[in-house]
Amino acid sequence: MPRYEFRCRACGDTFEVNRPMADAGEPASCPQGHADTVKLLSTVAFTGRGGAGVPSSAPAAPTGGGCCGGGCCG
């Protein structure tokens, strides 16, 4: 079940609510009993050895015009 993060405008607390995706837009009361809350935009980070990251010391990709990076046009 997805977890949604909310922030209470009255007391400033952040809290999470587990609920079905069909109820994602429903309001949530904070644990202190306040009803003025806002749903926060959550981000997801994936880490691992998938090879998606390129080290900052890697050489830059060659640039140039033409059909194959400039090698065949000149």
Side-chain angles (χ1 to χ4, degrees), residues 1-68:
M1 188 172 304
R3 179 176 298 168
Y4 299 96
E5 190 173 18
F6 288 83
R7 183 175 55 82
C8 178
R9 291 180 179 164
C11 65
D13 285 347
T14 58
F15 59 97
E16 295 177 342
V17 176
N18 293 329
R19 58 171 60 162
M21 290 179 75
D23 297 337
E26 295 296 318
S29 295
C30 93
Q32 305 300 322
H34 304 120
D36 189 13
T37 61
V38 62
K39 189 168 102 175
L40 301 177
L41 177 64
S42 299
T43 58
V44 177
F46 294 99
T47 60
R49 296 185 289 165
V54 176
S56 60
S57 62
T63 59
C67 60
C68 56

